[in-house]
Each structure stands twice: as structure tokens, then as C-alpha cells.
């Protein structure tokens, strides 16, 4: 049921105005590169997210697949990943099945990933992956996952205080920070290499 609803929304609905905004961002990046940051206060996503959606837009143009589908299908896959993380990552099989089922059938999760037309579901997946990795004693991987999430939306950093409570020891905490800075550094490297401080101001000022 959860999969059928998601596929129907992705394939057969127009989504929200966010899809048109993303199409406009993709066209702006196609014409101006990351210099597009300087043209509109609406451009407030990290450079890695802009470049990824631009690639999806180019793929849609090349393949003839509607952009509304190309943009939302990866969010459906993000939901699959989140469900699997809940199923396998909680350390309790019965609890994992209940959590994964509740998430998979939750109307909000379905609409957010498969109708909305934005990247929020992927942010949730990376935050969840970071929490699962931390719970399994892999702080480096947890940091990488959180840093990757920051490359989608910096709002994922709201999870940072809770994650840090899972690593009170100095060694694991250093590994967590190393993973976080490495992954987020790669995500923001395009803007940093271009000295595009306007772009960074747009992202961290959210406008």
C-alpha cells in the first residue's frame, strides 16, 4: 500500500509549486553555474543539492521523463532507505518492524516524499542513518551521514546536539567530527573553491 501510494503520487500528480522552483533553479545553474546564487534570494540550498538537482533536470531533458518524476523518484528511494534503516537499525527486530511499518504507511511521509517535490525526505534519511550509525558504535560513519545531510539542507544540523550525546568519549567524538567535516566540506567545496560567499550567505542565512 505504501509503495503503491508513493508510485501513484510520483507518476500521476503534478506536485506542489516547489517543483517549478527547482526547475527554475536547475535552469539557472545550467546557464550560470553556481553564479546563479547571485541572481535570487530564493536560492538557499547547498551547492551540492543544486548541482544534483541540475543533473536530474538534465537527465529529464535528455530522456523525456517529466522533471516532476525525475525529482521525486529519488525521494521515494530515500523513503525505502529510511524504512530499511528502521527495520534493521534499531537493534530489536519487533520494534524495528513496528517502526518501519508505521513510517512506511504514515500519510505525512508519503506526501512529503512523493508529492511535495523537495529534498526534505532525503534530509530525514541522512539524519536517521547518522543516528543508527552512532547507535551501532560507528561515529565516523555517523559524522559522514550527517555531513551528507548538510549537503542537502543545513537544517539537518538540528540533530547534532542529540548525536553528540551518543559520543561522550574524546576519541569517538573526534572521529564523528572528522566524518562530519569531511562530508560537509565536500558538499560545500564547489562554493568554497569559487569563493562564492554570496552562495554561502544564501544557504546559511536561508535567503
Amino acid at each position: 500500500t505504501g509503495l503503491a501510494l508513493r508510485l501513484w503520487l510520483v507518476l500521476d500528480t503534478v506536485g506542489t509549486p516547489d517543483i517549478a522552483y527547482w526547475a527554475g533553479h536547475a535552469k539557472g545553474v545550467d546557464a550560470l553555474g553556481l553564479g546563479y546564487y547571485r541572481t535570487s534570494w530564493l536560492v538557499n540550498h547547498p551547492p551540492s543539492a543544486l548541482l544534483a538537482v541540475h543533473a536530474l533536470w538534465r537527465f529529464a531533458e535528455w530522456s523525456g521523463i517529466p522533471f516532476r518524476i525525475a525529482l521525486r523518484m529519488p525521494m521515494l528511494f530515500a523513503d525505502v532507505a529510511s524504512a530499511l534503516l528502521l527495520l534493521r537499525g534499531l537493534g530489536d527486530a519487533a520494534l524495528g518492524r513496528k517502526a518501519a511499518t508505521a513510517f512506511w504507511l504514515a500519510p505525512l511521509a508519503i506526501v512529503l516524499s512523493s508529492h511535495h517535490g523537495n529534498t526534505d525526505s532525503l534530509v530525514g534519511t541522512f539524519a536517521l542513518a547518522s543516528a543508527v550509525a552512532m547507535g551501532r558504535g560507528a561515529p565516523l560513519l555517523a559524522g559522514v551521514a550527517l555531513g551528507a545531510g548538510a549537503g542537502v539542507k543545513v537544517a539537518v544540523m538540528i540533530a547534532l546536539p542529540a548525536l553528540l550525546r551518543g559520543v561522550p568519549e574524546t576519541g569517538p567524538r573526534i572521529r564523528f567530527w572528522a566524518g562530519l567535516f569531511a562530508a560537509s566540506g565536500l558538499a560545500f567545496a564547489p562554493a568554497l573553491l569559487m569563493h562564492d560567499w554570496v552562495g554561502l550567505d544564501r544557504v546559511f542565512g536561508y535567503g
Side-chain angles (χ1 to χ4, degrees):
T1 302
L3 179 59
L5 285 171
R6 283 173 170 85
L7 284 172
W8 170 67
L9 289 169
V10 168
L11 299 175
D12 203 39
T13 66
V14 297
T16 73
D18 280 29
I19 295 175
Y21 288 136
W22 269 117
H25 293 336
K27 292 173 185 176
V29 172
D30 198 60
L32 302 172
L34 292 180
Y36 176 60
Y37 274 120
R38 300 174 181 271
T39 68
S40 173
W41 62 270
L42 292 173
V43 192
N44 49 34
H45 290 265
S48 53
L50 279 180
L51 294 173
V53 173
H54 172 251
L56 290 173
W57 177 79
R58 290 292 298 268
F59 172 75
E61 291 289 298
W62 170 79
S63 65
I65 295 172
F67 178 65
R68 60 181 173 80
I69 295 176
L71 177 63
R72 292 183 294 180
M73 188 62 76
M75 301 307 113
L76 188 157
F77 293 143
D79 271 5
V80 172
S82 291
L84 291 174
L85 284 166
L86 290 168
L87 183 65
R88 303 288 187 182
L90 297 185
D92 182 307
L95 179 61
R97 284 193 296 271
K98 291 177 181 177
T101 301
F103 166 77
W104 190 245
L105 298 178
L108 179 59
I110 294 171
V111 170
L112 191 63
S113 68
S114 303
H115 177 72
H116 181 40
N118 214 314
T119 57
D120 302 273
S121 295
L122 190 57
V123 174
T125 300
F126 280 123
L128 180 58
S130 183
V132 169
M134 191 68 80
R136 293 196 165 191
L140 178 63
L141 186 57
V144 169
L146 192 67
V152 180
K153 274 190 175 181
V154 293
V156 76
M157 298 303 289
I158 196 172
L160 181 60
L163 290 166
L164 286 175
R165 289 182 62 86
V167 279
E169 300 86 3
T170 301
R173 184 166 287 199
I174 290 173
R175 291 194 291 275
F176 172 77
W177 282 113
L180 174 59
F181 281 118
S184 58
L186 286 174
F188 285 92
L192 293 170
L193 291 173
M194 293 175 62
H195 301 285
D196 194 342
W197 312 122
V198 172
L200 294 176
D201 180 67
R202 290 276 190 269
V203 173
F204 289 98
Y206 207 73

